[in-house]
């Protein structure tokens, strides 16, 4: 594959056209990415799948409240929900709800697309030598096809919540991702669409960068400590220098 | 039906318990309500239905961008989208997309629920004599079952975008609603979940009140001129006095 530099600029359709020229090595902080809402457009399908799960269990929780919990690991989201509706915390019940969600979400997964510029961003980082990894609360079954859509090579470090003891907003998936890259998380950038990613970044003393592509408002991400906010991965790619990335001249 | 006053207070399940006592007549500004996202939990299903429509037409628009267009009339949303992707504005194509959306949304409508406190809020306003109406961009086919869920009497003024020349963010549906109530919109409160409702309120010199239940962030609603912001209709009901409603002592 020919190395390219994606000097992106916004076009009118919300996508970006890329001028192609040989890429150069670049210097910059390692980047740890969330997956759903950050690289792939999965948040809204997750919301309606969870809504359906809870309806089947006669639990009334409106979609906007579910939306704000997406990105938390199920281990964190469900116990909180149980407490809120006054149910006993029950490991078997939590497992059942997670199973049902997995089932309903997988029926929708074929409609999930990569977010604008996501492939190009990861390619560009790879080609210019900026280390990057992915840390996600997603289930292996749901993550695998997304990595394929994104063209993520098998060699890229991808950390699932299941591989860590504590899910987001604990920064464990990002710590493990940084470890696999052989870098310090505190010197890295965490890129996410939810406040949970940004809180994880804060806890790890990493720089948090927010994307609007998960449907949070700008001020919500700023309030959670986002250092910079972009629309989507393509918008971030167009502004890489703002994050301290510098190409060799 | 026994008249009740719904002095709501938040409970832990996001719903509210209502103490019941005889309601009194109240004095206060007329209220004009949006429907989807404001009284019923329909926004997220609309988003994924639109996403599916656009995918079928090979138009790539991520869900979060669709989300921020919900509440605009199709007449406003689709021409803007066409311009964004560089397509010719085409009345037949717009009609086809609207048809397809209606079809896909109606398949999902049985999962739509009323938002917490919506029925109680409308009942309370009726019983205390505060005039209210509904103004929506929704299609008649989709609006009808929602009014049933909400227990809206046939006598209540409900204005559809189709009955006006210009959809939101033009305030026409709210103007017509106020006219049907025999009140001035400029002395009324417009309650909505989207910035389009709040912009319509501003244009009509009405007081705009935002609800978070459509999935916008608080700052987005404030930025569009919301005078007050509540979580959902139940939360508004619990704070009616803040909007100038006063019960007879």
């Amino acid at each position: 594959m020919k190395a390219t530099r994606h000097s992106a600029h916004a076009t009118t359709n919300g996508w970006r056209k890329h001028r192609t020229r040989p890429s150069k090595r670049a210097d910059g902080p390692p980047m740890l990415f969330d997956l759903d809402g950050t690289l792939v457009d999965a948040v809204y399908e997750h919301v309606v799948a969870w809504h359906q799960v809870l309806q089947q269990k006669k639990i009334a929780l409106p979609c906007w409240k579910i939306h704000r919990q997406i990105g938390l690991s199920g281990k964190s989201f469900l116990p909180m929900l149980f407490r809120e509706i006054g149910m006993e915390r029950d490991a078997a019940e939590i497992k059942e709800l997670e199973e049902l969600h997995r089932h309903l979400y997988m029926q929708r997964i074929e409609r999930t697309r990569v977010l604008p510029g996501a492939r190009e961003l990861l390619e560009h980082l790879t080609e210019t030598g900026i280390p990057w990894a992915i840390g996600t609360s997603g289930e292996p079954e749901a993550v695998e096809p997304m990595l394929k859509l994104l063209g993520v090579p098998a060699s890229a470090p991808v950390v699932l919540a299941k591989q860590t003891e504590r899910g987001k907003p604990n920064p464990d998936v990002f710590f493990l991702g940084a470890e696999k890259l052989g870098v310090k998380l505190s010197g890295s950038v965490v890129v996410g669409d939810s406040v949970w990613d940004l809180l994880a970044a804060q806890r790890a003393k990493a720089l948090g960068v927010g994307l609007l592509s998960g449907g949070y408002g700008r001020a919500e991400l700023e309030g959670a400590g986002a250092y910079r906010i972009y629309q989507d991965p393509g918008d971030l790619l167009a502004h890489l220098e703002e994050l301290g990335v510098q190409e060799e001249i």
Side-chain angles (χ1 to χ4, degrees), chain A:
Chain A
M1 193 166 65
K2 189 108 190 291
T4 57
R5 181 182 184 274
H6 303 280
S7 175
H9 60 97
T11 64
T12 47
N13 74 349
W15 186 256
R16 284 149 195 89
K17 294 217 176 99
H18 298 92
R19 279 178 286 135
T20 307
R21 57 184 171 93
S23 69
K24 296 180 175 175
R25 301 292 296 177
D27 184 47
M31 301 210 180
L32 285 296
F33 293 96
D34 168 57
L35 183 63
D36 292 339
T38 299
L39 296 171
V40 298
D41 194 9
V43 168
Y44 288 76
E45 293 286 358
H46 271 304
V47 170
V48 293
W50 270 118
H51 195 229
Q52 227 176 318
V53 169
L54 298 177
Q55 280 189 354
Q56 287 189 21
K57 294 287 172 181
K58 310 283 180 218
I59 299 171
L61 192 69
C63 286
W64 73 283
K65 286 199 170 177
I66 297 173
H67 185 184
R68 265 48 183 190
Q69 304 293 321
I70 299 290
L72 273 180
S73 65
K75 282 180 214 165
S76 303
F77 163 42
L78 291 173
M80 214 154 53
L81 169 64
F82 278 30
R83 205 159 50 234
E84 193 168 307
I85 62 179
M87 275 171 71
E88 285 290 313
R89 184 195 179 114
D90 177 336
E93 183 86 14
I94 288 181
K95 205 171 162 195
E96 193 192 330
L97 291 179
E98 284 187 315
E99 279 301 328
L100 191 51
H101 173 260
R102 183 170 22 241
H103 174 70
L104 289 172
Y105 179 71
M106 289 309 290
Q107 292 178 350
R108 305 164 171 280
I109 200 165
E110 64 178 32
R111 289 206 293 273
T112 305
R113 300 285 181 270
V114 300
L115 281 161
R119 284 183 71 106
E120 292 81 353
L121 172 62
L122 297 183
E123 267 173 41
H124 179 74
L125 295 177
T126 301
E127 287 163 5
T128 54
I130 307 276
W132 60 270
I134 293 174
T136 174
S137 303
E139 300 288 337
E141 202 180 340
V143 168
E144 197 51 49
M146 294 301 105
L147 298 181
K148 231 174 244 167
L149 281 185
L150 283 165
V152 169
S155 59
V158 176
V159 181
L160 305 177
K162 301 235 151 166
Q163 295 168 255
T164 64
E165 257 184 53
R166 301 168 307 171
K168 295 178 195 172
N170 290 293
D172 293 12
V173 288
F174 296 128
F175 270 120
L176 190 50
E179 198 184 304
K180 287 186 175 195
L181 293 174
V183 301
K184 275 197 157 181
L185 184 52
S186 61
S188 303
V189 174
V190 168
V191 182
D193 68 294
S194 80
V195 299
W196 315 117
D197 298 307
L198 298 168
L199 295 180
Q202 281 203 46
R203 288 184 60 177
K205 313 273 184 278
L207 219 53
V209 167
L211 300 187
L212 297 173
S213 41
Y216 274 84
R218 176 178 295 273
E220 293 176 275
L221 301 180
E222 282 169 354
Y227 161 76
R228 291 292 293 166
I229 292 173
Y230 302 102
Q231 290 208 9
D232 53 35
D235 189 24
L236 189 158
L237 173 58
H239 296 91
L240 264 185
E241 283 81 354
E242 294 180 356
L243 306 181
V245 174
Q246 211 171 324
E247 288 192 19
E248 288 173 8
I249 306 286

